[in-house]
Amino acid sequence: MTCGSVLLSVRGLRKEYPLRGGLLGRGRGLVRAVRGVSFAVEEGSALGLVGESGAGKSTIGRTLLRLEEPTEGEILFRGRDLSRLSMRELRPLRREMQIVFQDPFGSLNPRIPVGRAIREVLEVHRIVRGRAAREEAGNLLEVVGLKRADGERYPHEFSAGQRQRICIARALSLSPRFIVADEPVSALDMSNQAQIVNLLLALQEKLGLSYLLITHNLAVVRQIAGRLAVLYLGKIVEEGPTPDVFRAPLHPYTEALLAASPSRDPRARGRALLLSGEIPSSLRIPSGCPFHPRCPRAGEKCRAEIPREIAPGPSRRVSCHIHDGGTGPPLERRQGQAPRGPIPS
Ligand code: SF4
């Protein structure tokens, strides 16, 4: 596995959706799903992107592959800015970037045998045809731990875990270098989750793949991703090497996510925060630090000022006033708002 050189570099990525409504279809606001996100994925490595539903994780994944058009920002893949390429120019690079979705059943055509589904990808992209395509589809099924003969069966004849293997085999058919794995194990039971995690790790080792692993499952991130980025309301609030973030989270939101995860380091137990309330709408981003209405550590400065991103240690970054001069006087909260101070788990 070769780690070190940057395969994908994302800079200032934004994705906004105008919200229209009423009889005349007038603009009713702007959903700011991704608000200036920057990160890099090195060759042969995995970056975990975590956060609650509605944080913008899947939008980032889809935008990288131009399944959705970015509003602004650069997506540099092997040095070429995908956001500026025409669909024709994009096509050869898109082969190198594949996506695996959460719902393997929804991603497969129930009416065709799975071997044919893989063969069709090989033939559409003119990689191989006919007998050679059939042979290659069998090889790919074996690579993901299924039998060649399984190619004759239909999606409903497989378990959820086997269907996810088939989706991975189909993604591998174009020999990608980079895979967006969007909640790849969320629809699976614990034993299938472990098997898919092991498969992703084995493929990374064997094929030198790089992953962007999108998930809310911190246990999965811990096993697969060397680096971890935490997303809140369309922005990365903390990033760093996964073991360091687990050992010593810097952002109160990361702390709260880890507190809610069974995979957390028991040594972090004493600092546990509990997350209260729901993630606000991307239509109405709170003032100052967008996390302040839910943050037990918030001060007056948090309501007024957007925290800047700082680098408090090697390979780490965080956006929180605690690490940049303090939060100011405690935030006065109305009844029913999130409490202040550490809450024991
Ligand atoms: Fe909490 Fe303030 Fe830090 Fe935001 S800036 S995470 S509100 S302490």
Side-chain angles (χ1 to χ4, degrees):
M1 199 191 316
T2 52
C3 277
S5 59
V6 172
L7 180 67
L8 175 80
S9 170
V10 174
R11 295 183 197 153
L13 185 68
R14 288 183 178 275
K15 178 64 189 173
E16 295 170 350
Y17 305 92
L19 202 66
R20 302 198 181 280
L23 279 177
L24 301 173
R26 289 205 181 100
R28 286 175 54 197
L30 201 60
V31 176
R32 288 181 285 158
V34 182
R35 303 183 300 123
V37 159
S38 303
F39 60 86
V41 181
E42 290 184 353
E43 198 93 51
S45 76
L47 174 71
L49 193 56
V50 302
E52 293 162 283
S53 299
K57 306 185 298 292
S58 294
T59 307
I60 291 174
R62 294 175 61 81
T63 309
L64 294 186
L65 273 71
R66 294 267 307 268
L67 299 174
E68 297 198 32
E69 289 302 318
T71 306
E72 201 180 297
E74 287 181 345
I75 305 164
L76 296 162
F77 183 71
R78 294 205 288 115
R80 294 189 73 187
D81 186 357
L82 304 186
S83 67
R84 292 176 193 275
L85 299 183
S86 68
M87 281 301 161
R88 197 159 149 253
E89 292 169 318
L90 194 62
R91 209 166 293 140
L93 285 171
R94 276 273 286 276
R95 284 187 190 181
E96 299 182 40
M97 308 174 79
Q98 292 294 305
I99 188 163
V100 173
F101 293 104
Q102 171 180 355
D103 174 15
F105 202 51
S107 324
L108 293 166
N109 185 339
R111 289 187 202 88
I112 62 173
V114 299
R116 193 173 126 202
I118 298 172
R119 244 165 42 225
E120 281 182 0
V121 178
L122 293 164
E123 293 186 340
V124 164
H125 289 270
R126 296 183 191 159
I127 294 168
V128 276
R129 293 191 164 278
R131 183 191 285 260
R134 193 183 303 266
E135 185 67 16
E136 182 58 13
N139 293 343
L140 287 162
L141 287 171
E142 284 185 342
V143 165
V144 298
L146 295 171
K147 299 193 195 83
R148 304 182 84 82
D150 287 332
E152 303 305 318
R153 295 165 64 199
Y154 289 81
H156 72 269
E157 298 177 66
F158 294 91
S159 69
Q162 288 173 322
R163 283 196 288 266
Q164 192 58 294
R165 287 175 189 269
I166 294 160
C167 291
I168 293 170
R170 191 178 53 182
L172 293 178
S173 63
L174 298 177
S175 305
R177 294 170 69 170
F178 175 71
I179 291 184
V180 174
D182 188 355
E183 300 281 8
V185 301
S186 318
L188 308 179
D189 60 31
M190 290 299 278
S191 122
N192 275 309
Q193 281 190 12
Q195 289 181 27
I196 295 296
V197 165
N198 287 337
L199 175 63
L200 291 172
L201 285 168
L203 292 173
Q204 186 183 37
E205 183 71 33
K206 189 170 170 189
L207 307 173
L209 293 173
S210 306
Y211 297 126
L212 178 70
L213 174 67
I214 294 171
T215 183
H216 63 273
N217 186 329
L218 288 157
V220 172
V221 169
R222 199 173 197 181
Q223 290 172 78
I224 297 182
R227 291 187 68 79
L228 169 60
V230 181
L231 196 71
Y232 189 75
L233 274 178
K235 263 201 162 223
I236 291 175
V237 295
E238 173 163 9
E239 195 202 337
T242 303
D244 296 359
V245 176
F246 268 78
R247 191 169 49 248
L250 297 173
H251 196 281
Y253 180 57
T254 315
E255 231 179 303
L257 286 182
L258 289 172
S261 166
S263 67
R264 62 197 276 238
D265 187 335
R267 284 170 296 181
R269 214 170 283 272
R271 299 189 304 271
L273 299 181
L274 291 184
L275 202 51
S276 60
E278 302 222 323
I279 191 165
S281 160
S282 305
L283 257 176
R284 282 177 292 278
I285 308 283
S287 64
C289 171
F291 186 53
H292 86 257
R294 302 172 77 193
C295 180
R297 304 203 194 285
E300 287 298 339
K301 191 171 158 193
C302 303
R303 183 156 53 194
E305 281 180 39
I306 298 173
R308 58 183 186 147
E309 186 177 281
I310 58 159
S315 313
R316 294 197 72 171
R317 57 176 168 143
V318 65
S319 302
C320 172
H321 292 309
I322 289 175
H323 304 281
D324 193 18
T327 61
L331 193 64
E332 273 185 32
R333 293 182 186 277
R334 289 187 297 277
Q335 215 179 2
Q337 283 190 305
R340 181 177 167 76
I343 305 165
S345 57

